[in-house]
Amino acid sequence: MRSFASYISKHLASFTVFILILLFLNAVVFSLAFQKIVTEDYRNSSPQSMLEMTANAATPEQLSDNAVQKLRQNHIWAIYLNANGQCYWSVDLPDEVPETYTIQDVALFSKGYIEDYPVFVWNTNDGLLVLGYPKDSYTKLTSNYYSIAALR
């Protein structure tokens, strides 16, 4: 029994150092792997910043040329709807995306997708701005009924 105890005591420090090095390397590899994803998702083309920029440049008559250029650079389409669901204007709207919506349609797509395009909405004084990102670029959690206990 003494030989086992002396073996453990001799190697306990090296085992602890090995575990700490392994945890450190794991954290470094995780950080490097996801740094690119995090920095790209939160730069100027993120849904939040694009919605703000587009909403500030939008009127019911038109969208500024600078905003149109930024949308096209990021392969984002846009549609601006009035209170009745009719289109004021659109930018690069795909053929399969309709130009008129009912209130039920808006309720469904506001948390998810239009024709498999992830969409993000922004309410303005004049209507509803909808930005559509390329298919398979974002995933949206369309369910909003997770219990707090499940999330914890």
Side-chain angles (χ1 to χ4, degrees), residues 25-76:
L25 288 176
N26 190 22
V28 168
V29 168
F30 181 82
S31 298
L32 292 175
F34 289 101
Q35 176 187 7
K36 183 176 186 274
I37 293 170
V38 170
T39 56
E40 284 182 6
D41 277 352
Y42 295 103
R43 67 171 203 243
N44 293 337
S45 67
S46 73
Q48 181 69 29
S49 63
M50 290 302 290
L51 280 167
E52 288 178 20
M53 181 275 304
T54 308
N56 290 333
T59 65
E61 294 79 32
Q62 67 179 4
L63 181 63
S64 74
D65 291 337
N66 186 34
V68 170
Q69 181 182 2
K70 285 185 181 181
L71 290 172
R72 287 185 174 148
Q73 283 174 351
N74 293 293
H75 310 289
I76 301 168

Side-chain angles (χ1 to χ4, degrees), residues 70-150:
K70 285 185 181 181
L71 290 172
R72 287 185 174 148
Q73 283 174 351
N74 293 293
H75 310 289
I76 301 168
W77 55 265
I79 187 169
Y80 198 36
L81 303 173
N82 67 16
N84 297 323
Q86 303 297 315
C87 177
Y88 281 130
W89 51 257
S90 65
V91 175
D92 298 336
L93 192 67
D95 293 335
E96 67 266 25
V97 176
E99 290 190 1
T100 59
Y101 295 90
T102 64
I103 193 165
Q104 292 89 350
D105 295 332
V106 173
L108 290 174
F109 77 65
S110 66
K111 296 225 179 221
Y113 301 85
I114 297 176
E115 300 296 330
D116 295 330
Y117 291 95
V119 294
F120 300 89
V121 298
W122 186 275
N123 188 28
T124 69
N125 292 334
D126 298 314
L128 188 70
L129 174 64
V130 181
L131 296 185
Y133 278 71
K135 293 180 180 181
D136 298 326
S137 61
Y138 283 93
T139 186
K140 297 187 77 176
L141 300 175
T142 57
S143 170
N144 60 356
Y145 55 85
Y146 296 111
S147 71
I148 296 295

